[in-house]
Amino acid sequence: MPRFAANLSMMFNEVPFLDRFERAAAAGFKAVEFLFPYAWPASQIRDLLDRHGLQLALHNLPPGDWEAGERGTAGLPGREEEFRAGVAQGIVYAKALGLNRLHVMSGKLPDGLDADSRARVRRTLVANMRYAAAEFAQAGLTLLVEPINHYDMPGYLLNTSRDGIALLDEIAAPNAKLQYDLYHMQRMEGEIANTISRLLPRIGHMQIADTPGRHEPGTGEMNYSFLFEHIDRVGYDGWIGCEYKPAGLTEDGLGWLRAAQRP
């Protein structure tokens, strides 16, 4: 049976962030994930995880200036020192929170770059990812890279599973894996079941949402009943992050979870 982690950055937004852990546990989740923990002391988050019997499945490295539209600094030339500081901060939080994997956002490509500038961005991205992978390996962590669809995030450096695998091949680190978000990949390329089967050895984490709307499974075009059975059948045993925007109250939209957990 697939194992699901509530994404607390997107789910249970009816209450403040620190109150979402209790709501997730009450709804039947055994794990959670979220974008960024850095606004709170790691000890405070760890206490909430322990109090509610939750495991942390994932969080991201610092993304740069999120409010200004930045989505990671790994591919931004001239920001290497900031990136390395973010790696160190992410590792500190991961260790404190009992986490064994971190997502490293690649960043967005500025408009109007010439070929030389694009090549520099790529070299920066690969070098920074290699640095992070080496630091993560010493800490016993897996590095995750995620392709994100260009409709929701124009300019993002990775858009397809092929992009993600190409970057992993360049990083060439055994602890670097693909974060495969079924929502993003449905929008970009389809072929979800076959791609999961083909790339399973290289997938380190999965996430879900339906499309259109990025709401809970069962609200759009994706056959999640089939996909959950397929993911189970091919032998994926990691967490599946529920990175979706509930169409209404979070608890009202959890019928899909009860159905997926039914024997």
Side-chain angles (χ1 to χ4, degrees), residues 210-212 214-222 247:
D210 216 328
T211 183
R214 201 173 184 177
H215 301 311
E216 53 264 57
T219 58
E221 68 187 18
M222 300 177 71

Side-chain angles (χ1 to χ4, degrees), residues 33-147:
E33 64 175 33
F34 36 76
L35 293 179
F36 312 109
Y38 309 109
W40 300 272
S43 59
Q44 188 175 19
I45 296 176
R46 184 59 191 255
D47 178 66
L48 289 168
L49 293 168
D50 293 344
R51 188 187 315 167
H52 299 295
L54 293 167
Q55 182 175 336
L56 182 60
L58 184 73
H59 69 70
N60 299 342
L61 283 194
D65 191 342
W66 185 269
E67 297 303 321
E70 291 185 343
R71 295 297 183 264
T73 60
L76 302 184
R79 304 278 291 277
E80 289 86 354
E81 193 170 315
E82 178 185 350
F83 177 78
R84 292 187 174 204
V87 169
Q89 186 179 25
I91 290 172
V92 167
Y93 269 77
K95 286 184 172 181
L97 299 177
L99 186 62
N100 62 7
R101 64 199 60 227
L102 286 169
H103 172 218
V104 182
M105 298 192 78
S106 297
K108 294 168 64 175
L109 192 67
D111 292 333
L113 291 187
D114 59 24
D116 288 344
S117 296
R118 288 176 178 270
R120 185 183 176 208
V121 166
R122 185 67 178 191
R123 289 194 300 270
T124 300
L125 176 64
V126 173
N128 277 335
M129 289 292 187
R130 285 175 176 166
Y131 172 84
E135 294 295 302
F136 284 12
Q138 291 186 33
L141 299 171
T142 296
L143 180 151
L144 299 173
V145 300
E146 179 189 20

